[in-house]
Amino acid sequence: MLLGCIADDLTGATDLSLTLTQEGLRTVQCTGLPSPALDLTGIDALVIALKSRSIPAADAVSQSVAAAQSLRALGARQLLFKYCSTFDSTDEGNIGPVAEALLAVVGGGQTIACPAFPRAGRTIYAGQLFVNGMPLSESPMKDHPLNPMHDSDLRRVLGRQSRQAVGLIGFSDVAAGPDGIAKALAREAREGRTLSIVDALTDQHLRDIGAAIVNLPLVTGGSGIAMGLPAAYLAAGLVDTLTPPPRTMAAPAGRAAILAGSCSAATRGQVAAAVEAGVPTFRLDAGQLADGHQSVTHVLDWVDQQAGPQPILIYSSADPDVVRDTQARLGRDAAGALVEHAIADIALGLQQRGFTRLLVAGGETSGAVVQALGAQALAIGPEIDPGVPWTRTLDGVPMALALKSGNFGTPDFFLKAWSSLT
């Protein structure tokens, strides 16, 4: 196995797995540490999905180091630490502490931090992160319910989390191609900066970065940072061939449902488009769940009343003001956990009712659903939108799952996703 990846949430892992698959690496995704029974014969890359983005930094470090040690024991030549392309984190972590701990696992040296993903509107210039052309601190991420981002300067953000000075490989270095990036890496090392932000505005920049970092034991970034690695492996003779990505996926026969727990602007727009299109919907409310006016039983009773083959939508997505009010009443963590647990229980109820095709919106929500369903390993299918593929379970009950980061996808995502299933 060439590449071992550690993702700090489930949808981020799926996003990364899609990138690697599209670029030609045979990739499997696991929820947590891989089972000894998992057959990895012929696999080029293994992606381990953790739920470590918003937990205490010490716990995130412990889980990430355990994953790294597991991947190295399986023979991974290079490690990749994947976090969100919006870099969402706090001044306490977790990106800096985990990156520094993983550097220690691989024996030191240097690494980069590059969350750029141009196809999803995430670009970096002069160390500043932009979301669809808007500075991160002015984007909808400023209202993120768990990790609101109020600083666009990634050097400052990472510097507040790290024990060492954070460097920058700027646009002029990146525009000079792989040789320019390699020279900049050497400069950063000479000047004692072991962790450097890297600018990137285009896919070609990411491919050039991939060529320059092919021999770094550790890479960190968003899924886009993996874009150039497969071709770099091929050029270096580390793989004999690259495998074309799938265009469709055979899914188990059964009904379809959408479960949306994200409150991002993108997911709220997708919910609105589905409602306007006439998709049968049930809106979950954290306050009503807390006081007993709603329950999982109520939702599943509603499901039992829905006839026909069309997908159904169950969502808790709400505007930022509503989310803040709910968090003020129930507590931030308690409100989120209440909804996550409810949607996870609903997913299990759907599975028991013959639903075999689930589209789940939200990283925390997706993690809770996959855990409830007992899906530990996923094969990667076709792309629906940048960063979001269909997947198929490799263990347990056969299921087709689309696990979407809340920020990803076009407004018609919930409507068009089903067309690539056969």
Side-chain angles (χ1 to χ4, degrees):
M1 182 172 61
L2 281 172
L3 183 64
C5 307
I6 303 152
D8 66 0
D9 81 340
L10 185 70
T11 55
T14 308
D15 175 9
L16 175 59
S17 298
L18 172 62
T19 297
L20 293 169
T21 300
Q22 287 188 310
E23 296 298 327
L25 293 190
R26 296 164 296 180
T27 305
V28 166
Q29 176 180 329
C30 289
T31 303
L33 301 186
S35 165
L38 182 63
D39 184 6
L40 296 174
T41 304
I43 295 301
D44 301 312
L46 178 64
V47 180
I48 294 178
L50 302 178
K51 191 178 179 181
S52 58
R53 180 172 302 167
S54 302
I55 64 176
D59 295 338
V61 166
S62 176
Q63 292 182 22
S64 301
V65 167
Q69 292 170 338
S70 174
L71 290 165
R72 283 170 65 85
L74 289 169
R77 175 185 179 274
Q78 186 174 46
L79 295 182
L80 193 159
F81 169 39
K82 193 275 178 195
Y83 37 79
C84 187
S85 60
T86 50
F87 216 69
D88 52 298
S89 51
T90 70
D91 286 353
E92 289 71 40
N94 292 341
I95 295 173
V98 170
E100 290 176 343
L102 295 179
L103 267 178
V105 170
V106 300
Q110 68 180 137
T111 189
I112 64 165
C114 183
F117 190 4
R119 287 190 298 153
R122 280 63 163 163
T123 55
I124 307 170
Y125 181 77
Q128 305 280 324
L129 179 58
F130 295 84
V131 178
N132 295 318
M134 184 181 298
L136 176 67
S137 59
E138 300 174 25
S139 76
M141 284 301 298
K142 70 181 186 300
D143 297 316
H144 192 283
L146 294 179
N147 300 317
M149 298 302 294
H150 299 137
D151 193 347
S152 303
D153 190 316
L154 298 187
R155 287 171 296 179
R156 288 198 299 254
V157 174
L158 194 55
R160 292 192 290 267
Q161 303 176 15
S162 304
R163 293 171 295 180
Q164 302 177 24
V166 177
L168 173 67
I169 297 176
F171 179 76
S172 60
D173 296 317
V174 175
D179 288 344
I181 298 164
K183 290 177 182 177
L185 280 166
R187 179 197 67 220
E188 294 288 284
R190 286 196 305 273
E191 295 177 1
R193 291 184 286 270
T194 59
L195 183 57
S196 301
I197 305 295
V198 184
D199 282 357
L201 298 177
T202 67
D203 285 356
Q204 187 57 51
H205 290 155
L206 292 172
R207 295 185 188 282
D208 289 344
I209 294 167
I213 62 173
V214 67
N215 290 317
L216 286 183
L218 172 69
V219 176
T220 90
S223 62
I225 199 59
M227 188 176 294
L229 288 175
Y233 292 155
L234 184 65
L238 297 172
V239 292
D240 296 328
T241 187
L242 298 178
T243 304
R247 299 301 175 195
T248 60
M249 189 183 81
R255 293 193 61 190
I258 305 157
L259 301 172
S262 169
C263 293
S264 71
T267 297
R268 297 199 312 271
Q270 290 153 2
V271 168
V275 171
E276 184 177 353
V279 174
T281 61
F282 189 108
R283 184 181 181 278
L284 286 172
D285 181 275
Q288 292 191 42
L289 286 170
D291 64 22
H293 285 95
Q294 286 185 355
S295 68
V296 171
T297 299
H298 292 146
V299 179
L300 294 176
D301 286 344
W302 173 83
V303 169
D304 291 336
Q305 296 168 16
Q306 307 309 306
Q310 75 272 30
I312 61 173
L313 167 62
I314 300 165
Y315 72 98
S316 63
S317 309
D319 291 339
D321 289 345
V322 175
V323 173
R324 281 191 289 268
D325 288 345
T326 302
Q327 290 177 337
R329 285 192 295 122
L330 303 178
R332 189 192 74 169
D333 294 340
L338 187 67
V339 171
E340 280 177 35
H341 293 156
I343 293 180
D345 289 343
I346 291 164
L348 185 58
L350 291 174
Q351 184 189 63
Q352 293 166 347
R353 284 163 169 76
F355 283 75
T356 61
R357 306 172 182 209
L358 298 184
L359 192 165
V360 189
E364 301 294 324
T365 307
S366 293
V369 166
V370 168
Q371 183 176 16
L373 297 179
Q376 296 182 332
L378 302 172
I380 308 303
E383 180 182 62
I384 304 167
D385 266 341
V388 193
W390 278 107
T391 72
R392 186 178 62 251
T393 56
L394 293 175
D395 55 356
V397 178
M399 299 281 290
L401 303 173
L403 308 168
K404 185 188 84 71
S405 170
N407 296 302
F408 282 9
T410 56
D412 62 346
F413 184 90
F414 291 169
L415 305 174
K416 71 180 181 182
W418 316 98
S419 63
S420 53
L421 296 181
T422 60

